Amino acid sequence: MLPFGMAEIDGRLADRGLDGGALHEVAPATPSLSDEAAATLFLAGIAARCAAATEAARVLWVVSRFDLYAPGLEQAGLPPARLLFAEAREDKEVLALMEDGLRHGALAAVVGEVRRADMTASRRLQLAADTGRTPAFLSRRWRRQGVCPLTELSAAATRWRIACAPSGRLPAPGVGRGRWMVDLVRQRGGNPFSLLVEACDDTGRLALPAGAQHRAATAAGAAARAA
């Protein structure tokens, strides 16, 4: 099991974390560069936590368009030493390389970026992830305007949609920690939910914005007093 380490997320997941032998999908909320970057870093953070749990293991990241920004991945906790990159010419090759990596069973996680993957392809990835007991993460890129990639049927255990959100105000001019709106669109055995979070730190971990933390603590205190 792969917990996020945040009660606000883990407590809403049916398994209290992500199944480490299953397929999970992530898509940007829009085809904008900012949302695509947010979705990529969200995945990088999860992959970083997978790699940190196994000292010798690396993450296989398969792409058909090599536009990854290595310093950005490292800021999300995934340094080059933890990564194996593979570049394919088209989606079916990306999916085939992912299957091979998953069945190998010696990787911390396998990530692949595609524009299209039908139900059969997602089932094959799910089976390969279960066989190799390796988590699979499919990043679904937008194919056309107005049609969310997550509208396609899939065998994934969880499906996430990520969007950029305004950063909190700072007491002085500068750039604050990024914020994302995280939507769990579907999960096997549980309900969907949405949560505003602060972007991954250099260990791949998310956090609640300060205001949300205060509201959560206040609500918890009120519940305790009522009890």
Side-chain angles (χ1 to χ4, degrees), residues 93-178:
E93 293 180 356
V94 171
L95 296 168
L97 286 169
M98 288 184 68
E99 277 193 58
D100 288 344
L102 290 166
R103 294 184 188 279
H104 188 265
L107 295 166
V110 174
V111 182
E113 299 182 7
V114 298
R115 290 188 179 276
R116 187 177 183 86
D118 60 18
M119 176 62 87
T120 300
S122 68
R123 284 175 175 163
R124 289 180 63 92
L125 288 177
Q126 169 59 42
L127 180 60
D130 183 55
T131 300
R133 297 312 301 168
T134 302
F137 300 99
L138 195 60
S139 174
R140 286 184 173 261
R141 291 180 177 266
W142 281 65
R143 288 191 296 128
R144 61 182 183 271
Q145 190 74 29
V147 181
C148 176
L150 298 183
T151 57
E152 289 188 314
L153 295 177
S154 172
T158 64
R159 307 188 83 187
W160 304 81
R161 185 166 52 226
I162 312 298
C164 287
S167 298
R169 297 187 65 178
L170 297 175
V175 179
R177 184 172 177 178

Side-chain angles (χ1 to χ4, degrees), residues 38-115:
T40 298
L41 293 176
F42 177 78
L43 273 175
I46 298 174
R49 297 197 304 275
C50 293
T54 310
E55 281 299 320
R58 294 185 180 184
V59 173
L60 173 63
W61 200 302
V62 190
V63 298
S64 59
R65 185 179 73 188
F66 200 87
D67 57 357
L68 290 173
Y69 183 58
L73 298 182
E74 187 165 12
Q75 287 179 358
L78 198 57
R82 288 287 193 180
L83 276 168
L84 293 172
F85 288 115
E87 188 171 2
R89 290 175 296 180
E90 51 189 24
D91 287 349
K92 66 179 182 181
E93 293 180 356
V94 171
L95 296 168
L97 286 169
M98 288 184 68
E99 277 193 58
D100 288 344
L102 290 166
R103 294 184 188 279
H104 188 265
L107 295 166
V110 174
V111 182
E113 299 182 7
V114 298
R115 290 188 179 276

